[in-house]
Amino acid sequence: MKHGKAAVFLDRDGTLSEEIDWVRRPEDLHLIPGAAKAVKRLREAGYFVALVTNQSAVARGLISIEQLEAIHAHLQQLLALEGARLDAIAYCPHHPTEGMGRWKLKCECRKPKDGLLRELIARHGLDPAQSFVIGDARRDLEAGASLGIAGILVRTGKGRREEALLTHPVIVADALPEAVERIVGSTAQGR
Ligand SMILES: [Mg+2]
Ligand SMILES: [Zn+2]
């Protein structure tokens, strides 16, 4: 089936929310200015909007899965205040070398691996060819590139540092609202 839904896969820290050293409590998470309106705009344009995030804070023992889910519930509340929401939230709690216990493992879902994207595509009937990844790190874009998903790097979070390290041409936007403008603007022009 070639005509799945178009999706936008958003990184969390530094892309949708402000980059800080470890979000441990819901109140530590703050949206990038204009982020909620940008998500709302994508959904109104017909995109399935999913969060795709590496959260090795779990593997490192800094937070539990329950605390991570409370942080994400808070994120949905912040978005809802502006009429937006995420259609799906996918996270990798693992780390290949840090931490201990069952989360310390070389998984297939930690970006730049594409496991989370594959699972979302299969579960929700999404079409990679019509979809985008937006992130502040090269590894966010690499995860999508292996599946043929277009990437946009944002200059928030780690983005400016990452931009300097790019080895091939990539679309770069100042922040999430500008990245969404690139997507919705081009859709409106029938591209
Ligand atoms: Mg990030
Ligand atoms: Zn993982």
Side-chain angles (χ1 to χ4, degrees), residues 18-84:
E18 302 282 1
E19 170 82 28
I20 65 164
D21 258 350
W22 309 117
V23 175
R24 296 171 193 244
R25 303 167 306 167
E27 57 267 36
D28 294 336
L29 187 132
H30 301 283
L31 292 174
I32 294 274
K37 282 197 175 64
V39 170
K40 183 175 184 221
R41 192 171 175 209
L42 284 174
R43 294 188 79 250
E44 285 174 352
Y47 285 92
F48 183 95
V49 182
L51 190 73
V52 177
T53 179
N54 287 352
Q55 291 299 326
S56 69
V58 176
R60 294 168 199 265
L62 300 174
I63 58 171
S64 67
I65 286 284
E66 291 72 23
Q67 287 168 314
L68 179 60
E69 299 210 330
I71 289 163
H72 289 160
H74 178 68
L75 171 58
Q76 289 282 39
Q77 286 167 4
L78 292 177
L79 292 169
L81 290 174
E82 299 185 59

Side-chain angles (χ1 to χ4, degrees), residues 159-189:
R160 285 189 185 278
R161 199 167 72 218
E162 292 279 315
E163 184 181 6
L165 299 171
L166 289 172
T167 53
H168 59 278
V170 162
I171 297 175
V172 184
D174 280 344
L176 185 58
E178 290 79 10
V180 167
E181 172 60 28
R182 296 292 287 262
I183 293 171
V184 178
S186 71
T187 303
Q189 289 158 19

Side-chain angles (χ1 to χ4, degrees), residues 54 91-95 105-111 116:
N54 287 352
Y91 55 80
C92 166
H94 309 114
H95 195 279
L105 81 105
K106 248 184 134 173
C107 65
E108 289 301 315
C109 53
R110 181 175 166 81
K111 295 179 282 186
L116 294 177

Side-chain angles (χ1 to χ4, degrees), residues 11-15 19 111 135-137 139-140 158:
D11 172 54
R12 195 189 84 183
D13 303 303
T15 301
E19 170 82 28
K111 295 179 282 186
D136 69 319
R139 69 181 177 193
D140 301 321
K158 298 175 175 141

